[in-house]
Amino acid sequence: LSAAFATLAATTVAASAITVGFSQIGSESGWRAAETTVTRQEAEKRGIDLKFADAQQKQENQIKAIRSFIAQGIDAILVAPVVATGWDAVLEEAKDADIPVILLDRTVDSDKSLYLTAVTSDLVHEGKVAGEWLAKDVGTNPCNVVELQGTTGSSPAIDRKKGFEEGIAGHDNIKITRSQTGDFTRTKGKEVMESFLRAEDGGKNICAVYAHNDDMAVGAIQAIKEAGLKPGTDIKVVSIDAVPDIFLAMEAGEANATVELTPNMAGPAFDALKAYLDSGTEPPKWIQTESKLYTQSDDPKAVYEAKKDLGY
Ligand code: GZL
């Protein structure tokens, strides 16, 4: 009987336009802004009524927003979780209210039964691709790397660090000598890179900077130039996201490599949600998006032109 009711409920919901709440982290990076743009477009395409909440990068604001969505009795919740821990209680409340939750671009440590699916890239793989690129680029030359980590405690910061270390494993000539969070922002990325340059005798023995996202890399590029060094040659720059501005830097020879992260996590999320609401189809717990390495030899000007109007 309960199965019949579930199907009836799902069918009823599917018949009318659905309302989805989106707890977005904020707008800390160009990539995040693009994800918001694309999510609104994907909702529009499907006639989904999207309720948007910007948390200014604070977990407590995300939890408040999710509770408000639950109180409004909406049909589903998207959340890009700023950090990986501290979600059990609010996810339990959503489950008790029979409101499916889908994670976008970051994961949480909570039990997988507490969310419908997570739409993310393979964050470890991204870091590994970045590490492998640097290993290939430097060969057997000694290379001291400074690392700009993403938001402390976020799954991308944890996984991209892990992946990069896997990528350089076995290359004892490559060492991460300094590593600190730049919180995924250009401003913090620049500030932390300035402190690295000061601490490393003006940057003479820094061979490369690995930034967990392009926005911190762009900030680091600014700091390197202001220190009188040439980013892209004196200090190699490798990062992740593939936002338009990193391709402008590549065109100028100031950045070397980036690993693409699609801003369209919502399309696959909405498709999985529809199958679930229409016919109770349980999606896999992870829907993986593709990653692609871009370097200076991939016509950065053309890539910039193709990406510049996508809402970054
Ligand atoms: C990664 C995503 C990260 C982006 C950053 O999946 O969570 O958050 O790489 C953004 O640009 O801040």
Side-chain angles (χ1 to χ4, degrees):
L1 196 58
S2 60
F5 272 120
T7 310
L8 178 67
T11 317
T12 314
V13 165
S16 61
I18 60 170
T19 303
V20 176
F22 179 21
S23 170
Q24 177 58 300
I25 291 172
S27 193
E28 73 283 358
S29 70
W31 183 89
R32 180 74 47 199
E35 184 188 55
T36 295
T37 302
V38 172
T39 301
R40 291 184 191 283
Q41 291 166 345
E42 293 296 318
E44 181 82 25
K45 267 194 235 174
R46 296 167 171 81
I48 289 172
D49 177 8
L50 189 74
K51 304 282 182 206
F52 181 80
D54 179 319
Q56 273 93 39
Q57 288 171 266
K58 293 186 175 61
Q59 181 176 29
E60 66 264 25
N61 290 342
Q62 292 201 279
I63 291 171
K64 272 190 211 126
I66 293 168
R67 289 197 163 121
S68 162
F69 292 146
I70 294 169
Q72 293 171 49
I74 54 170
D75 301 301
I77 293 169
L78 301 183
V79 52
V82 61
V83 291
T85 55
W87 300 96
D88 292 359
V90 74
L91 291 178
E92 290 278 2
E93 292 163 31
K95 192 172 180 76
D96 292 346
D98 266 340
I99 299 175
V101 174
I102 296 181
L103 307 180
L104 296 193
D105 75 77
R106 296 188 186 178
T107 55
V108 299
D109 293 350
S110 302
D111 190 276
K112 292 182 173 18
S113 64
L114 292 178
Y115 56 85
L116 185 64
T117 186
V119 182
T120 79
S121 58
D122 180 336
L123 295 152
V124 174
H125 173 70
E126 292 169 333
K128 189 168 182 188
V129 167
E132 287 169 344
W133 174 85
L134 184 65
K136 189 156 164 275
D137 184 72
V138 303
T140 55
N141 300 318
C143 184
N144 290 340
V145 184
V146 294
E147 179 181 26
L148 297 170
Q149 295 184 36
T151 301
T152 304
S154 68
S155 63
I158 294 162
D159 290 351
R160 286 173 178 174
K161 180 167 190 44
K162 179 167 178 279
F164 186 83
E165 287 162 1
E166 286 174 8
I168 63 170
H171 298 269
D172 299 339
N173 55 310
I174 303 177
K175 292 198 173 0
I176 300 175
T177 54
R178 292 178 189 278
S179 181
Q180 199 179 318
T181 185
D183 212 15
F184 283 129
T185 70
R186 293 188 183 204
T187 308
K188 283 286 299 285
K190 183 180 180 205
E191 280 167 19
V192 174
M193 189 65 202
E194 284 165 347
S195 70
F196 287 160
L197 288 160
R198 277 196 300 275
E200 296 280 358
D201 189 17
K204 266 193 287 301
N205 50 12
I206 297 177
C207 144
V209 52
Y210 165 51
H212 290 186
N213 80 334
D214 293 343
D215 282 64
M216 294 191 289
V218 167
I221 286 166
Q222 204 53 44
I224 294 166
K225 285 162 81 169
E226 286 171 11
L229 295 173
K230 288 195 200 67
T233 41
D234 295 334
I235 297 180
K236 297 293 172 81
V237 180
V238 52
S239 56
I240 302 171
D241 277 353
V243 301
D245 283 352
I246 204 69
F247 293 96
L248 286 182
M250 274 190 206
E251 180 71 16
E254 295 176 349
N256 302 89
T258 185
V259 183
E260 185 176 52
L261 174 72
T262 174
N264 187 357
M265 305 283 173
F270 287 143
D271 291 345
L273 178 63
K274 178 168 174 42
Y276 177 70
L277 292 176
D278 287 359
S279 43
T281 309
E282 290 278 350
K285 284 298 175 183
W286 181 26
I287 297 172
Q288 184 186 340
T289 61
E290 293 308 304
S291 309
K292 181 178 185 309
L293 175 69
Y294 283 92
T295 66
Q296 289 178 4
S297 53
D298 291 312
D299 193 354
K301 183 108 185 65
V303 181
Y304 172 77
E305 289 302 323
K307 284 178 174 263
K308 69 182 181 4
D309 302 321
L310 299 182
Y312 285 88

